[in-house]
Amino acid sequence: MAKKFLIVIVQLIVALVTIPAVALATLSFENRNNDGPSIIFPGGALLSGELYTGPEPDWRFTDEVNTVHLQLDDPLSSRLTWIEESAGKIYITSDYMGTWLGRLWKHWAVQAYEGDGLAVVRINGIRYERKLIRVFYSPVLEGVIAKKIEKYRSRITREAIESGETWVFELAPRGGFQS
């Protein structure tokens, strides 16, 4: 009797683990070609929205934008991320990069850094072609840190950036390097 009860318990545990895992994997697979990410899952290419072609905008409007869609060109995938404006330029950060789990979870940052960094950011329905350039040590970091703390109540520090725990990327125009 105890053996049958144990078998039923094990089957129940397997079902309780397997069903959500299969559901999450299916949802992730289904979302991979969507026009942008969902709240939880990465998406595909950012196709909708006007492609901006004018001069560099006044990026201060992003102070009112909580999240943006960021698409890497290689590999082609998109995700939601925070955005910070400082001194007329825009930045994104990737936390938890000092651990193998963080680098796995935030593998887009590794791909951007090790690849060509070409990306598209969609903000309020407008797409901007950009190039992600990692910022290591720079006076601009103080402004990015201050903005992230103010906007998102982050605990980011310069030490976290310099130690590699947090990566900072400028979203520079594709035509040139601006940092």
Side-chain angles (χ1 to χ4, degrees), residues 144-157:
V144 175
I145 292 166
K147 182 62 64 94
K148 188 168 182 181
I149 290 170
E150 172 190 340
K151 190 172 176 182
Y152 301 108
R153 298 184 180 163
S154 172
R155 295 183 182 177
I156 188 174
T157 64

Side-chain angles (χ1 to χ4, degrees), residues 58-164:
D58 178 350
W59 292 112
R60 289 179 291 185
F61 79 91
T62 62
D63 289 349
E64 305 303 318
V65 176
N66 209 24
T67 58
V68 299
H69 293 169
L70 176 70
Q71 169 209 303
L72 294 183
D73 285 2
D74 185 25
L76 189 59
S77 64
S78 59
R79 74 255 333 119
L80 284 174
T81 188
W82 291 347
I83 187 166
E84 297 86 28
E85 179 277 335
S86 180
K89 298 178 182 178
I90 51 175
Y91 300 87
I92 57 171
T93 57
S94 184
D95 299 319
Y96 311 111
M97 298 303 292
T99 66
W100 70 268
L101 183 58
R103 291 171 75 94
L104 178 65
W105 175 32
K106 305 280 188 109
H107 65 277
W108 67 266
V110 175
Q111 292 166 329
Y113 178 62
E114 292 178 351
D116 60 15
L118 296 181
V120 174
V121 62
R122 185 166 55 198
I123 308 170
N124 293 337
I126 307 293
R127 295 177 297 142
Y128 302 86
E129 292 181 317
R130 310 310 286 176
K131 181 173 176 79
L132 276 66
I133 300 170
R134 188 165 170 206
V135 180
F136 292 90
Y137 306 97
S138 172
V140 305
L141 291 175
E142 295 308 319
V144 175
I145 292 166
K147 182 62 64 94
K148 188 168 182 181
I149 290 170
E150 172 190 340
K151 190 172 176 182
Y152 301 108
R153 298 184 180 163
S154 172
R155 295 183 182 177
I156 188 174
T157 64
R158 187 174 192 95
E159 293 76 25
I161 296 167
E162 292 178 353
S163 72

